[in-house]
Amino acid sequence: MSDALTPMMRQYRRIKSELPPDTILFFRLGDFYEMFFEDAVEAARILDIALTKRQKVPMCGVPHHTYETYLAKLIRAGKKVAVCDQVEDPALAKGVVRREVTGILTPGAVLTDQILESKRHNYLAALYENKGLFGLAVLDLSTGAFQAEEAGDPETIRDNLLRLAPSECVLPAEAARDPAAPMRALLNNLPALMTSPYDDWTFEYETAHDTLLRHFKIQSLECFGGEGRTTLIGASGGLLHYVLNALHRNLAHVRCLAIRNPGDFLIMDEATRSNLDLVVSRGVPSVSLSASSNRSDSPATTLLGVLDSAKTPMGGRLLREWVLRPLTNLAAIKERHDAVEAFSKDRALLRDLREAFEQVRDLERIMARLGAGSGNARDLRALAQSLAALPAVRALVSASPVHLLAALGQTIQPQPELVELVEKAIVAEPPLSVKDGGIIRHGYHAGLDELRAAATQGRNWLAEYQVREQERTGIKTIKVRHNKIFGYYIEVSKGQAHKAPPDYARKQTLVNAERFITPELKSYETKVLGANESAMALEYDIFLEVRSTVVQAMNFILASAEALAQLDVLASLAERALALHYARPVMTQTSELTIRDGRHPVVEQMPDANRFVPNDTLLDGGENRVIIITGPNMAGKSTYIRQVALIAIMAQMGSFVPAAAATIGIVDRVFTRVGASDDLVRGRSTFMVEMQEAANILNNATPQSLIVLDEIGRGTSTFDGISIAWAVAEHLHGVVKAKTLFATHFHELTDLALTLSGVKNYNVLVREQADGIVFIRKIVPGATDKSYGIQVARLAGLPQEVVDRAREILLNLEEGEFGEAGQPKLAIHRPRKGKTHSDQLALF
């Protein structure tokens, strides 16, 4: 297989040299995709397939009809794969069969359902920076969703990358090579994200601008609101250029560029999204108002898991976006609430709509595959099934008195002619392959029916011919068979071969049989095979015509898909509101945040949860600006403050909320400082992590923000911690003036209410008993001066002798630090009846 001996290998080397160096090449050879040299060594290891050698060249291969399974494994392993296909008929080729790269697959550029999650976008991102301003663009090739935004703060871009969770990020090549470049520095904290360098000039304004105009066939980007926005256009145009030219992808299904303005959405950083378990669970908190302490990895352990009863994959993806990016526009929020209320009041409408959604498949991804030329007949059938449901959905909502529902219903454009076309043309259960026949219905195309009849008649003739030859020759063991090498042949057993008549021409000798052909058999073979091959070729052409007709309606279908997704989310929120007894919140532009009988939406749904104890909340920008909450561990402080943040988020995403009633003033940002842990990768201690999170809040919060603090200052000495916590609370009250819930074990902070008019004290009720404490889980006005830490330690299972010793030390501390002799009282042992501590070491 050296270059000098193999023209095919020269072709392989040429194609391989034109690819990025980190790309594995799937090279089509007959019925297999082969890999050679280093590609073969790496792929064999990842795919766990045999690695062989031919003339000292390492090679391995996978069958072409199952290659997507192997592609999925390589993509999951973070590899890029180029698929090189034969683009001419090998039977007609003169010399080496012509081959071309028909597509490059990367983690951010896949369309196959074997890799994609149905209810989650798979984004390919691009970053561009110019004079300190960052542009971020993301594209989901599987749906056509394309959006971009820009910001001067790199942390904002980093948070958006974490929120969008792209599988791959494209960077200008020079920035990708320079570790000190701002874009590289931004991605250093995202080591799992694959980065792909691409030509710098494609990100420059003129080139990127031209790429966008050409793709969308428009004269200006004003229609998207993007004209003149340098970094945003650079990222968007560079990304499109990469997909079109480097990955060789068809982007007909990418119809518009959605430019996001961060001010239109409630802002939450990654710490907040994580602390509140919005879409990814950190595990159910062991402390909760329901007294549930078991952890679970089920989807219900996140807010998304609780709210997601969407019937369609499009709805599931959109709901995830709504959870992660609630609105700040009061009118838009009320429109969503109006729609949810309309559905919840008309249960028959809700039921009928959700039943109709059960027939709808993933229209966005189906159209993406069809538009890209990779969709098959099964995609057409799924499309027709989905489109058949559109008239019913439109009829249910287009006349609604609720403006949003009526607008969405009128956006849905049924395509009865396409449904009829697919029903007439495509069989009910088509095969996966589009080139092996069996796709087109009988009666749809007269010419195809004639070819099929000729092929069938030919096969009938072959059966009759076998019987006739058995009678003519007297050889009862004659069989007429077929293979790809010899075509049709007559097989005679070895013992009967001497009876073969003179017109039998020997074709092959086997151990136990002889194979012959006759002029008559070869003549009919030509007719049978010719008709069969012509029928399959014609079927493929007809399929392409049907697919092309469907793709021409791409814009109408995708617009309907977007409307269906919104209706599905609104219906899902209504179903959840009814099932979980949620209430519609009253939304205002004031600073008021009032909740009556609020509940934690996730904790109350845990399978082993006890009856959840609801609690009230009163926050505003005046006398109830900062709420200091004290109480023992496990009493429910953390659950309570989280539930307030979750209720605000749910209200602004358009959902009803887990409460008897709620009035929510629009908040611009939600901050959380919850828990503590080391960041070993970035060399930050627990206390440093805590202080940096607190600094982020103090520097970025506004009077319209909602802040949730679960302990400040625990990671250092007691006096230092109290001092820092006190100063933070004062700053939030007097300077930031944001609505704040501050849970703490520093009881000294309750004295803030004596000097600051906007600070109020609350505590979690606990009932003391002779043998311990009982958690009441109720938040009430006033402060507490007890932590009940020793009682909680006993409940946690500390050995009794440790608990007893802790009580002694606590009593020493409460009576004063030193005794009369100057000995630390911590070290004094108090003998108890029937026990001696002479063998116990003093603490000091």
Side-chain angles (χ1 to χ4, degrees), residues 168-204:
E168 178 184 357
C169 186
V170 184
L171 297 176
E174 185 176 349
R177 288 191 298 267
D178 181 6
M183 283 178 282
R184 278 297 304 274
L186 192 152
L187 295 176
N188 284 341
N189 297 327
L190 304 168
L193 179 61
M194 170 187 276
T195 56
S196 298
Y198 194 53
D199 296 336
D200 291 66
W201 59 270
T202 63
F203 292 85
E204 294 173 359

Side-chain angles (χ1 to χ4, degrees), residues 174-486:
E174 185 176 349
R177 288 191 298 267
D178 181 6
M183 283 178 282
R184 278 297 304 274
L186 192 152
L187 295 176
N188 284 341
N189 297 327
L190 304 168
L193 179 61
M194 170 187 276
T195 56
S196 298
Y198 194 53
D199 296 336
D200 291 66
W201 59 270
T202 63
F203 292 85
E204 294 173 359
Y205 182 82
E206 294 298 330
T207 303
H209 188 267
D210 184 63
T211 300
L212 292 168
L213 295 182
R214 287 175 179 273
H215 173 74
F216 292 115
K217 297 180 174 61
I218 54 179
Q219 298 298 315
S220 167
L221 296 178
E222 280 297 338
C223 57
F224 300 138
E227 197 66 49
R229 303 179 72 171
T230 308
T231 58
L232 183 150
I233 289 173
S236 305
L239 180 56
L240 274 194
H241 198 285
Y242 172 76
V243 175
L244 288 167
N245 297 282
L247 302 186
H248 305 280
R249 294 306 185 88
N250 185 318
L251 293 179
H253 61 298
V254 180
R255 302 176 303 118
C256 67
L257 173 63
I259 294 179
R260 304 299 190 193
N261 177 10
D264 294 336
F265 305 97
L266 189 158
I267 299 173
M268 297 176 284
D269 58 20
E270 178 61 16
T272 297
R273 294 191 293 270
S274 174
N275 289 332
L276 296 179
D277 296 321
L278 294 186
V279 297
V280 178
S281 176
R282 299 169 300 112
V284 180
S286 59
V287 179
S288 73
L289 292 182
S290 67
S292 170
S293 61
N294 290 342
R295 293 178 178 267
S296 170
D297 294 326
S298 70
T301 60
T302 66
L303 179 62
L304 178 63
V306 170
L307 296 180
D308 187 6
S309 67
K311 294 291 188 179
T312 69
M314 299 99 68
R317 291 192 293 270
L318 183 61
L319 178 59
R320 183 186 181 92
E321 289 186 23
W322 284 17
V323 168
L324 289 172
R325 221 168 195 192
L327 303 175
T328 55
N329 182 282
L330 182 61
I333 295 170
K334 286 184 174 180
E335 274 197 333
R336 291 183 182 179
H337 286 160
D338 288 343
V340 173
E341 184 174 50
F343 284 144
S344 61
K345 287 183 175 179
D346 191 340
R347 298 194 182 193
L349 169 64
L350 179 62
R351 181 192 64 245
D352 292 345
L353 187 66
R354 285 170 62 79
E355 285 178 358
F357 284 144
E358 290 180 355
Q359 303 303 312
V360 178
R361 305 283 290 278
D362 198 337
L363 283 172
E364 292 175 335
R365 286 182 172 168
I366 288 172
M367 291 308 299
R369 289 193 293 270
L370 293 173
S374 61
N376 56 29
R378 293 182 184 180
D379 287 322
L380 290 176
R381 290 295 308 187
L383 175 70
Q385 174 187 316
S386 303
L387 294 179
L390 297 192
V393 175
R394 180 184 169 93
L396 285 168
V397 297
S398 59
S400 171
V402 177
H403 174 264
L404 177 58
L405 295 182
L408 292 173
Q410 290 159 14
T411 301
I412 294 172
Q413 298 295 320
Q415 305 289 323
E417 67 286 350
L418 292 185
V419 176
E420 182 181 8
L421 171 63
V422 174
E423 288 289 346
K424 284 184 176 180
I426 308 298
V427 298
E429 296 182 1
L432 191 61
S433 172
V434 296
K435 293 186 176 181
D436 295 334
I439 293 175
I440 305 302
R441 283 188 185 273
H442 179 77
Y444 178 74
H445 192 283
L448 176 61
D449 291 344
E450 290 176 7
L451 289 171
R452 284 174 170 172
T456 301
Q457 291 169 5
R459 286 191 290 270
N460 292 340
W461 180 89
L462 289 169
E464 295 170 359
Y465 178 73
Q466 177 176 297
V467 174
R468 192 165 68 247
E469 286 302 295
Q470 289 173 347
E471 294 175 352
R472 180 172 77 90
T473 63
I475 305 172
K476 300 302 182 184
T477 58
I478 280 180
K479 300 291 182 184
V480 178
R481 292 178 171 165
H482 175 270
N483 65 30
K484 290 185 177 181
I485 299 175
F486 297 119

